[in-house]
Amino acid sequence: MVASNLDGVALRGVVGCVPEGRDTTADLALRFGDEAAARIAKATGIEARHIAAPGQCTSDLAERAARRLLDGLEWEAASVDLLVLVTQTHDHALPGNGALLHHRLGLRKGAAVLDLTQGCSGFVYGLWTASALLKTIGRRALLIVGDTTSRLVDPGDRAVAPLFGDAAAAVALEAAADGGPMTFDLGSDGAGAPYLTASGGAMRHPDRPARLFMDGTQVFAFTLREVPGSVRAALGGAGWSMGMVDHLVLHQANAQMIRHLGQKLGASPEQTTLALAGFGNTSSASIPLALADALATPLRSERRRLLLSGFGVGWSWGSVALSAGPLALCEMVVLPGRKCPAETAAPATSAEGSAVSAGI
């Protein structure tokens, strides 16, 4: 466990971006049948997912979010001192997406750029990294997170196809006196690597396709084993009780899992944020998407106490207690593109239970 307390960095705005194309429960029914599609949707709480069109990459979603964020805050690109980019689905093997976005956004040459390869815990890890670095190298930072996980998914795999959507989000951070403390708890367990992986398509197995594999039973067990303790550690470090939290925002993987963890942590249904019905699991973007979608109104109008926790591939997990708001900008945008065509029917797999039980 890594415990960290950071002060003097304020969150100024959040913009989430999804592609226009959508895959719905009706589309799933064409592949898996009406009964199976309805059962998966009921168990996971996911009714639709945004899917990047051919030719759309993570950097395109990220650029759309970041441009709207800079424009809405009236931040000049030259005023950004740091860009931290978090993704598992880079456009290229190299360079990383951070360099691509540095150029496309017109950031100055003196700005520092850092790419992090993280999954569902990536937003919290990125927030910790960007905030810590910002206190030493400048005044303003962009944290950009997101993935096009659909590129790794076999449309006929019931364990993952109904779960994962594509999205990105951009967050503006500023070193300022009104930046309240952020209390982090971070951890990892590399023994979990084989249970949530896309091992093909890289240097170890270049001839295998890059297909996502998930052992739902192992994912669920890991989540129940590690996440509650991490959330409680962040709460304790901040000197908060769960009753003092306005919004508990867990990684938006599966509605049943979120509700179960919320109850285990003593959070009420009103405190526990659910914002995955129209997005699915969007990996590192899921927490800021929940802020920009479900919590946009309160975050724009007043200061709120947030407890955020991301967890998944690695295994890795991270939780943070912080106060944010009122934000100058907190909204969703859409990247236009061709609507995804419905897939033809595919054979059922034996892994449907993994999708229903876990969905991380």
Side-chain angles (χ1 to χ4, degrees):
M1 179 184 74
V2 174
S4 177
N5 288 279
L6 296 172
D7 205 349
V9 175
L11 197 157
R12 298 302 192 202
V14 181
V15 175
C17 179
V18 291
E20 184 179 21
R22 297 172 75 242
D23 195 27
T24 67
T25 300
D27 296 314
L28 292 179
L30 295 176
R31 305 204 292 272
F32 306 132
D34 291 340
E35 183 178 345
R39 184 167 60 250
I40 292 170
K42 181 178 179 180
T44 63
I46 300 169
E47 299 170 2
R49 293 157 293 109
H50 289 261
I51 305 297
Q56 288 182 336
C57 294
T58 303
S59 70
D60 302 316
L61 296 166
E63 181 182 4
R64 177 77 173 89
R67 286 191 182 280
R68 174 59 192 136
L69 183 64
L70 291 173
D71 290 345
L73 294 177
E74 298 183 345
W75 280 15
E76 295 290 336
S79 72
V80 175
D81 303 297
L82 171 68
L83 168 62
V84 174
L85 190 290
V86 182
T87 188
Q88 297 179 120
T89 53
H90 290 280
D91 294 21
H92 311 292
L94 56 89
N97 278 10
L100 304 181
L101 287 166
H102 175 277
H103 176 66
R104 284 157 61 174
L105 295 173
L107 304 188
R108 62 186 177 85
K109 291 184 179 180
V113 176
L114 179 64
D115 283 281
L116 300 178
T117 302
Q118 284 291 106
C120 302
S121 64
F123 176 71
V124 177
Y125 267 84
L127 182 62
W128 174 61
T129 302
S131 299
L133 289 175
L134 187 60
K135 290 178 65 66
T136 66
I137 67 171
R139 177 172 169 239
R140 286 177 171 173
L142 290 179
L143 168 61
I144 301 178
V145 298
D147 282 293
T148 47
T149 309
S150 68
R151 297 286 190 263
L152 306 177
V153 170
D154 178 351
D157 186 349
R158 291 189 190 185
V160 292
L163 305 176
F164 290 91
D166 301 331
V171 177
L173 301 171
E174 190 168 37
D178 66 333
M182 301 183 193
T183 303
F184 292 86
D185 176 83
L186 306 162
S188 57
D189 178 5
Y195 303 116
L196 185 53
T197 181
S199 59
M203 302 302 109
R204 180 68 66 184
H205 302 294
D207 297 328
R208 295 182 188 175
R211 289 301 188 195
L212 187 65
F213 166 78
M214 180 182 69
D215 184 324
T217 301
Q218 292 288 343
V219 169
F220 194 73
F222 145 70
T223 301
L224 295 183
R225 183 172 65 247
E226 303 294 353
V227 175
S230 177
V231 171
R232 294 188 183 108
L235 279 174
W240 296 357
S241 66
M242 183 55 72
M244 298 168 66
V245 174
D246 294 308
H247 306 288
L248 171 66
V249 187
L250 301 170
H251 167 52
Q252 302 290 295
N254 176 304
Q256 283 189 354
M257 180 186 293
I258 292 169
R259 292 191 185 101
H260 184 81
L261 287 172
Q263 292 173 356
K264 190 176 181 69
L265 290 163
S268 69
E270 293 73 25
Q271 289 174 294
T272 306
T273 301
L274 283 172
L276 78 166
F279 304 117
N281 182 338
T282 56
S283 188
S284 59
S286 81
I287 292 174
L289 245 62
L291 301 181
D293 179 60
L295 302 180
T297 298
L299 286 173
R300 285 196 299 256
S301 61
E302 58 186 327
R303 196 159 184 81
R304 310 293 284 179
R305 283 182 168 173
L306 307 176
L307 197 294
L308 316 176
S309 185
F311 41 89
V313 64
W315 306 126
S316 63
W317 59 92
S319 303
V320 58
L322 74 156
S323 295
L327 301 182
L329 188 67
C330 190
E331 66 181 38
M332 293 289 302
V333 296
V334 174
L335 180 68
R338 182 170 62 85
K339 186 182 185 298
C340 293
E343 299 283 351
T344 56
T349 73
S350 61
E352 178 184 345
S354 293
V356 174
S357 66
I360 194 166

